[in-house]
Amino acid sequence: MPVLVMKFGGTSVATLDRIRRAAKKVGVEVAKGYDVIVIVSAMSGKTNELVGWVNETSKFYDAREYDAVVSSGENVTAGLMALTLQEMDVPARSWQGWQVPLKTNSAHSQARIEEIPTDNINAKFAEGMKVAVVAGFQGVSPEGRITTLGRGGSDTTAVAFAAAFGAERCDIYTDVDGVYTTDPRVSNKARKLDKIAFEEMLELASLGAKVLQTRSVELAMRFGVRLRVVSSFEEQSDDAGTLVCAEEDIMENRPVSGIAFSREEAKMTLISVADRPGIAAAIFGPLAEGGINVDMIIQNIAEEGRTDMTFSCPVDQVARAEKALNDAKARGEINFHDLVADTDVAKVSAVGIGMRSQSGVAARMFKTLSDEGINIKVIATSEIKISVLIDRKYMELAVQALHDAFELDKV
Ligand code: ADP
Ligand code: ASP
Ligand code: MG
């Protein structure tokens, strides 16, 4: 039997009614002759609540226990989805990550998938089970501990299953009907894209467009998974939504395809560190060991042998970053006068493979922001993206102005 992977995100399983609605969509595919692997998220808001409880209990928590707690939301939906399907006379059962077993490394709270053996689920398909409902976002480490794959990780579970089972398609059902030129919640001029290149989706995702988890796009690209984003609230045909595909399959040739943003950024500055060989390693080594996701970095011009070093990281990692740097200072590895955290910043990025061949994109972006009176604090570029760090209060304005400037509302 051909296999189909269908993933339902938090809002798509937020109530029993919505689970029923999702189950009906699964039933339609079963009736077409597919063996279906359904990946479910926790009910909307549940994971945030669980994360909140962990933070309230322990500031520098044991990540193994964080995973034990936050993975639990998906277990509930997996069971409820299997029950709902059974009520519809569709043979189904639920699987928690460890039962598959979905094997990961030991990087708790952001574990990477290492292997998905197919035997257990395939044996059940052979016995007549039609739907395997798998709890997304979770796996098991070599030590036998429960792991999670990072926020939004059910997307990655879905793509990894599609690759492991050679699924015909991996459909990501969510609360929007595809990938847009920017988050439709921030700009009402956002336009739905029929197709988007893997590379662009990868950048958009890693720069904050949470419609797909970055790692899921990476896996789809590597294993050639046919990945589609579709609405769980609308009826649709097999070619609805947005297909994430190879660059060659896209006709459009505009410099910018989308605007991404990340609200939860922080800018940290180490004031007056010694400007000597090895200083960057001495600063960023401990940050890496502390699990801080450093993104942009600037080292200022040195004066009298001292310099300031600025970097950005997710705002919820500021306390950990401060601890890592203060500990390194206490060990005598670095010396700085002060450590200043600006937690009111956001990152806005323009992404497009067309940038490779068209010049002037950065200039247009900076001019647009300047016309709006928005000050740029940090800039970072790559071949297909330009990112700026700005005051958070201007984030929506910046996104809308850039969307207009690059005429993304026009087909
Ligand atoms: P799910 O719970 O189904 O996993 P998410 O909330 O993780 O859903 O992702 C869907 C959300 O992503 C949308 O509601 C939308 O607000 C947001 N989003 C951000 N950028 C984009 C974009 N470029 N296109 C579509 N949605 C986007
Ligand atoms: N429930 C998890 C989260 O909210 C995983 C997911 O939904 O993809 O991050
Ligand atoms: Mg998601």
Side-chain angles (χ1 to χ4, degrees):
M1 290 285 190
V3 173
L4 202 64
V5 172
M6 302 171 76
K7 179 255 172 178
F8 293 94
T11 40
S12 311
V13 292
T15 61
L16 297 184
D17 244 7
R18 289 194 183 171
I19 292 179
R20 259 179 241 120
R21 198 187 317 196
K24 277 195 197 134
K25 288 187 185 287
V26 176
V28 169
E29 301 299 343
V30 170
K32 286 185 197 161
Y34 287 106
D35 280 343
V36 182
I37 299 175
V38 173
I39 310 293
V40 287
S41 286
M43 290 167 143
S44 161
K46 192 70 216 174
T47 310
N48 284 346
E49 180 181 49
L50 296 169
V51 170
W53 288 347
V54 171
N55 283 324
E56 235 178 87
T57 308
S58 168
K59 191 171 176 205
F60 298 109
Y61 50 73
D62 174 347
R64 291 165 298 192
E65 302 307 343
Y66 167 97
D67 280 350
V69 176
V70 305
S71 61
S72 64
E74 271 69 11
N75 297 342
V76 175
T77 15
L80 290 172
M81 176 63 84
L83 286 172
T84 310
L85 287 160
Q86 289 172 6
E87 287 297 315
M88 291 162 44
D89 292 327
V90 177
R93 70 155 271 193
S94 68
W95 302 78
Q96 295 184 5
W98 65 273
Q99 293 174 305
V100 174
L102 186 151
K103 298 182 189 169
T104 70
N105 64 9
S106 309
H108 284 276
S109 83
Q110 37 196 341
R112 286 167 83 94
I113 299 175
E114 292 191 331
E115 194 193 345
I116 303 182
T118 54
D119 342 350
N120 287 338
I121 288 180
N122 274 337
K124 290 290 169 192
F125 279 141
E127 286 171 18
M129 176 189 71
K130 287 278 133 205
V131 184
V133 185
V134 179
F137 178 53
Q138 52 173 263
V140 59
S141 73
E143 295 78 30
R145 301 294 301 258
I146 303 300
T147 53
T148 62
L149 310 178
R151 297 306 305 270
S154 298
D155 298 328
T156 301
T157 308
V159 173
F161 268 84
F165 284 79
E168 203 173 288
R169 239 177 27 230
C170 178
D171 288 342
I172 305 289
Y173 285 83
T174 184
D175 57 0
V176 279
D177 61 350
V179 178
Y180 280 70
T181 47
T182 192
D183 189 339
R185 285 175 213 253
V186 167
S187 169
N188 55 15
K189 291 188 189 164
R191 180 173 55 89
K192 200 198 83 168
L193 300 164
D194 292 333
K195 290 180 177 176
I196 184 160
F198 283 124
E199 286 87 347
E200 288 176 329
M201 192 63 238
L202 203 57
E203 286 285 5
L204 286 174
S206 72
L207 294 167
K210 63 176 186 161
V211 60
L212 286 174
Q213 197 197 33
T214 310
R215 183 91 184 110
S216 73
V217 186
E218 251 168 50
L219 284 183
M221 189 156 103
R222 189 155 119 222
F223 293 101
V225 171
R226 205 174 157 76
L227 178 62
R228 204 170 62 132
V229 177
V230 273
S231 163
S232 58
F233 303 128
E234 287 167 20
E235 295 306 317
Q236 67 255 311
S237 57
D238 276 357
D239 60 0
T242 300
L243 185 69
V244 190
C245 60
E247 203 178 304
E248 300 80 68
D249 299 332
I250 296 184
M251 301 300 288
E252 274 191 67
N253 183 27
R254 47 174 84 219
V256 172
S257 305
I259 309 290
F261 58 82
S262 163
R263 206 184 299 269
E264 284 86 29
E265 297 289 318
K267 171 172 153 269
M268 302 196 69
T269 305
L270 286 142
I271 310 232
S272 187
V273 286
D275 186 27
R276 59 165 171 86
I279 188 65
I283 293 171
F284 294 104
L287 289 171
E289 270 159 40
I292 314 301
N293 300 315
V294 171
D295 180 24
M296 304 156 132
I297 298 173
I298 338 176
Q299 181 176 345
N300 290 346
I301 295 169
E303 235 176 87
E304 292 167 13
R306 317 272 317 166
T307 183
D308 294 347
M309 187 80 88
T310 298
F311 65 91
S312 71
C313 70
V315 76
D316 62 358
Q317 294 182 353
V318 166
R320 271 176 196 263
E322 283 171 345
K323 182 171 187 315
L325 292 170
N326 285 320
D327 287 354
K329 187 178 182 184
R331 291 193 302 269
E333 294 165 11
I334 47 175
N335 190 358
F336 51 85
H337 279 326
D338 204 0
L339 177 56
V340 186
D342 178 354
T343 53
D344 285 323
V345 292
K347 182 169 62 185
V348 176
S349 311
V351 172
I353 44 182
M355 261 182 227
R356 287 192 197 125
S357 52
Q358 296 186 36
S359 57
V361 180
R364 192 142 130 219
M365 178 159 176
F366 303 152
K367 170 88 170 55
T368 306
L369 295 173
S370 135
D371 288 349
E372 298 293 340
I374 300 171
N375 187 31
I376 300 171
K377 301 189 162 198
V378 184
I379 300 171
T381 64
S382 80
E383 207 187 12
I384 66 163
K385 72 120 198 268
I386 304 162
S387 299
V388 294
L389 213 58
I390 59 173
D391 278 334
R392 190 173 300 140
K393 63 180 177 209
Y394 296 126
M395 192 196 78
E396 277 86 358
L397 175 63
V399 170
Q400 288 156 5
L402 292 170
H403 198 272
D404 283 346
F406 291 107
E407 301 185 329
L408 295 183
D409 52 331
K410 306 208 173 83
V411 184

